[in-house]
Every structure is written in C-alpha cells, then in structure tokens.
Amino acid sequence: MSERLAHEQRDPSPDYVQSLARGLAVIRAFDAEHPRRTLSDVAKTTDLTRATARRFLLTLVELGYVRSDGSMFWLTPRVLELGYSYLSSLTLPDVAGPHLESLAEQVRESSSVSILDGDDVVYVARVPVSRIMTVAITIGTRFPAYATSMGRVLLAGLSPEKLEDYLGRVELAALTGKTITDPASLRAELDDVRAQGYCLVDQELEEGLRSIAAPIRDHTGEVVAAANVSTQAARHSADAVREHLLPALLRASSAIETDLDRVHSQSTDHKGSLHA
C-alpha cells in the first residue's frame, strides 16, 4: 500500500492538505536508485492516476523542481532548497539532544550542554536523570562560569585577550569551601583544562556535586559549547568520574561535533548548489 493511501485510510485531520501530500509523494518517488522516471513509473510509485501524476509533475517542472525531456522526468538541484531550509533551522540543542539522551542513558547521570553568555554559562540542552542540586536546573539556568566544569571548558577556549578581560572583571566568590577564588590559581587550572581536553570540578559550585565537562568545537575548531555529566560525590569519587564517566562524555561531545560539522557542510553545499 502506498504512503498516501495508508495516510488517507487513517482518517486525516480536517487540516490535512491532500494536494500537498501528493506533491511531496511525487518528489519522493525519485531516489538514488531511480533518479529518472517515466510518468507511468511515478504514477505507479505514488498510487496516483496518470492524469494526476502528470499534473503534479508538470507543476513541479514549472516551479523548477523537476525537468523533463518529454518522456523522462528528473529532479533539479532546486529541491535542495527544501532540505536546506531544515538544515538552516537546526540549532545546537537540536543536534546535541539525541546525544545527551544516549549519554545519560549510558552513564545513568544527568547530562547537559551550555554556552558562555557574558560571565555565565547558560544551559541550552539538558537530560536530567535525578535531582542532584538544591537548585533546579532547566534550560536557561545560569551559573558563574569560573565555578563550573562547563564554564571552565568555555573559558579555556577563549583567546588570551578575552580571558584576561574576564579575569580582570569577574569577582571569584567562594560558593563552597573548595571554590577557587584566586585568579592566578584559576588561570593555572584553565591551562590544565586546555591541555587535557576536559575539566573536572569537585564540589566547587555546590557541596556534594561533582561535574566533568568536555568542549564542543565548530568546523573551525573554535570552542562554541561544552557538554557535561554531573553526579553526586557520594556516588562517584573523582577518580571514578574520570575512569567511568569521562570516556562516554568524550564520545558524546565528539559525536555532537561531527553532527554540527555535517550540518554546516550540508548547509554550505546545499546553498552552493542553489546558486550553481
């Protein structure tokens, strides 16, 4: 049974536009194995009459999405506009979300992604597993960058000039008895983070909370975000966090980077094709 018939037999909603669905079915009739099709091929694949399939094909020809030599039909690069619109709309949370879900399921701990906004980290994606802080963390939650694992990863990714500006203006308040409050010590810590490629913060934001973070880089190599896993200190020692949580975190951050690069490459390629 065709996709169209299957949908129509499910009593589509009053807002369902049958002509749009049929037009999209005609476009989907072409694929890598069948880049060129006859009118009869398209009608059979879409379960449309020849007359209906012909009207849709000729409309798509008029719009520039399909070309024809009179007997065969094929798609033009203009159909990439449809995919480009989707790729252009993808955001960091869209790309990171599935990887955070997989990470949280694997390590059974909460995972998040944040960006640097001013002197704070801002959560843009999160998969909570359990409540581990006294303050509820949601999308948009902000914490001072200097006291968080993701914040330090993001600070370590700053240019020397921007980092010095930050250290010159921020007040390093003691949030717990373990919080680094000396600029020189924080600078040394950021050097270590930059060298090792991750950051472990042990109860500096809140007592009983350990968090480990890794950078997320864009196609230019710039650190644009950070991903982390947070856990209660009672569940994992600092060594256990490095041994058991870090490898999965690094795989997840790498996968996010790969998908971000793929989105950028496809968007660029598609945009270039539109102007070819």
Side-chain angles (χ1 to χ4, degrees):
M1 182 185 297
S2 73
E3 182 179 338
R4 180 184 68 84
L5 285 180
H7 188 105
E8 291 179 358
Q9 288 185 4
R10 294 199 300 266
D11 297 325
S13 72
D15 296 323
Y16 181 77
V17 181
Q18 185 183 71
S19 59
L20 175 59
R22 289 177 172 179
L24 293 173
V26 168
I27 291 175
R28 290 196 298 270
F30 300 88
D31 55 29
E33 295 180 357
H34 308 92
R36 291 174 176 250
R37 285 187 177 275
T38 65
L39 170 59
S40 297
D41 292 335
V42 173
K44 182 178 180 180
T45 300
T46 59
D47 197 30
L48 297 172
T49 66
R50 281 176 54 89
T52 300
R54 180 176 180 274
R55 288 198 301 273
F56 279 108
L57 283 168
L58 293 181
T59 298
L60 290 168
V61 169
E62 284 289 321
L63 293 174
Y65 292 108
V66 170
R67 288 185 185 143
S68 175
D69 61 6
S71 60
M72 303 293 293
F73 295 86
W74 61 92
L75 299 179
T76 74
R78 190 168 187 179
V79 298
L80 296 174
E81 289 179 347
L82 305 175
Y84 175 67
S85 297
Y86 168 70
L87 290 170
S88 298
S89 69
L90 285 178
T91 63
L92 174 61
D94 295 324
V95 173
H99 297 292
L100 290 185
E101 291 175 1
S102 177
L103 174 61
E105 181 178 0
Q106 181 179 350
V107 301
R108 300 186 182 278
E109 299 288 356
S110 299
S111 62
S112 308
V113 165
S114 72
I115 60 173
L116 189 63
D117 183 35
D119 297 341
D120 298 331
V121 292
V122 178
Y123 284 70
V124 297
R126 179 167 171 78
V127 178
V129 172
S130 61
R131 179 78 173 269
I132 59 175
M133 291 190 66
T134 56
V135 177
I137 300 176
T138 59
I139 304 303
T141 294
R142 307 173 73 96
F143 290 120
Y146 70 88
T148 66
S149 61
M150 289 189 288
R152 289 183 185 172
V153 163
L154 291 163
L155 291 174
L158 293 178
S159 67
E161 296 78 15
K162 289 183 177 180
L163 179 57
E164 288 307 313
D165 287 343
Y166 170 83
L167 293 173
R169 69 174 178 269
V170 71
E171 179 184 352
L172 304 180
L175 304 180
T176 74
K178 296 186 176 183
T179 308
I180 293 177
T181 57
D182 174 59
S185 297
L186 179 59
R187 187 181 289 106
E189 174 70 13
L190 296 179
D191 288 341
D192 290 341
V193 170
R194 198 176 299 110
Q196 66 194 12
Y198 70 89
C199 177
L200 172 64
V201 168
D202 189 358
Q203 305 182 74
E204 295 188 50
L205 179 65
E206 180 171 300
E207 293 285 354
L209 175 69
R210 289 193 174 104
S211 177
I212 194 163
I216 297 172
R217 302 177 186 275
D218 66 10
H219 66 283
T220 69
E222 180 181 355
V223 177
V224 294
N228 87 335
V229 174
S230 299
T231 186
Q232 292 178 347
R235 281 207 295 266
H236 291 91
S237 67
D239 288 340
V241 168
R242 292 188 185 91
E243 181 179 355
H244 299 299
L245 304 185
L246 179 58
L249 171 64
L250 293 176
R251 287 193 296 270
S253 61
S254 177
I256 293 171
E257 289 179 343
T258 297
D259 281 357
L260 285 175
D261 186 59
R262 182 179 295 116
V263 168
H264 175 267
S265 297
Q266 291 178 346
S267 296
T268 302
D269 292 345
H270 287 191
K271 187 174 183 179
S273 298
L274 297 181
H275 299 286

